[in-house]
Amino acid sequence: KAGVTQTPRYLIKTRGQQVTLSCSPISGHRSVSWYQQTPGQGLQFLFEYFSETQRNKGNFPGRFSGRQFSNSRSEMNVSTLELGDSALYLCASSLARTSDNEKLFFGSGTQLSVL
Amino acid sequence: GEDVEQSLFLSVREGDSSVINCTYTDSSSTYLYWYKQEPGAGLQLLTYIFSNMDMKQDQRLTVLLNKKDKHLSLRIADTQTGDSAIYFCAEGPKSGGSYIPTFGRGTSLIVHP
């Protein structure tokens, strides 16, 4: 069974640009979550999608958005990039996130550098 | 303060035991997790413990839970250089809330020969 796939692996952008990151979950997994990882802040939750609907959202500005498609693949978009958006963006999938012990399976992440 | 706290670094000698500690704040958390992140990779679930357990052993890994002090630890026996990674403690879910786990900032384990 293939794992969680994130593309691209690395991305370099300049301030003010926008970026779209992609995540393909494990087959059969319907929940996709996104996290931002930085050395200073650790792992910060961005949002979670289930059945094409945003079910949970973290404390990030509206420049960060996402969506999920009918095949459970998800994309996240960051508009008007700032230097502080440089981070590793991780996607995690799980079956349904409706039980107490839903395990998360993470992709390898997209390393975004904003110059 | 943060919901889940961990020390940032731990250095051990190969063959010794490693103990990574974590404190959490939400006593209603049903499960507590340990994830491992190797360089250039995402997080991988190592083990988890149900909140009504005190201890769980899984090969070289031992998880101890002290609910009274809200303290969780991960012991790695016979630590190898391949165990060098960042270890994240996570709690979840919140009672009556979402199923989004809360992660600590991670402990970098450095294993030297």
Side-chain angles (χ1 to χ4, degrees), chain B residues 10-19 79-80 109-113:
Chain B
L10 176 65
S11 178
V12 300
R13 186 176 299 177
E14 189 174 19
D16 287 350
S17 291
S18 307
V19 179
T79 313
Q80 303 297 307
L109 174 64
I110 301 160
V111 183
H112 53 90

Side-chain angles (χ1 to χ4, degrees), chain A residues 83-108:
Chain A
L83 295 178
D85 297 332
S86 295
L88 180 66
Y89 289 88
L90 292 167
C91 165
S93 76
S94 63
L95 279 170
R97 304 301 295 280
T98 56
S99 74
D100 280 358
N101 191 18
E102 284 282 346
K103 302 175 187 64
L104 295 179
F105 295 83
F106 283 82
S108 297

Side-chain angles (χ1 to χ4, degrees), chain B residues 23-92:
Chain B
T23 57
Y24 60 96
T25 56
D26 192 340
S27 57
S28 69
S29 291
T30 311
Y31 286 91
L32 294 132
Y33 304 86
W34 285 104
Y35 283 82
K36 176 184 180 183
Q37 184 180 33
E38 295 181 352
L43 278 68
Q44 172 193 0
L45 179 64
L46 267 183
T47 186
Y48 61 91
I49 187 168
F50 187 50
S51 59
N52 71 352
M53 297 170 65
D54 297 323
M55 185 184 86
K56 179 180 180 181
Q57 187 146 5
D58 185 359
Q59 298 182 331
R60 291 191 297 123
L61 305 178
T62 302
V63 178
L64 294 177
L65 175 59
N66 181 330
K67 281 194 73 175
K68 175 176 167 290
D69 296 336
K70 299 192 185 70
H71 182 267
L72 183 73
S73 68
L74 173 70
R75 178 178 180 269
I76 306 172
D78 187 25
T79 313
Q80 303 297 307
T81 54
D83 294 323
S84 294
I86 303 175
Y87 290 81
F88 291 87
C89 168
E91 63 169 346

Side-chain angles (χ1 to χ4, degrees), chain A residues 14-53:
Chain A
T14 56
R15 278 181 299 175
Q17 287 187 308
Q18 76 163 15
V19 68
T20 299
L21 312 181
S22 179
C23 172
S24 293
I26 291 171
S27 177
H29 284 193
R30 297 168 62 192
S31 168
V32 173
S33 304
W34 288 89
Y35 291 83
Q36 182 195 67
Q37 185 179 18
T38 59
Q41 298 296 319
L43 212 61
Q44 302 284 311
F45 171 71
L46 280 154
F47 27 66
E48 182 224 357
Y49 286 87
F50 177 78
S51 291
E52 302 178 64
T53 301

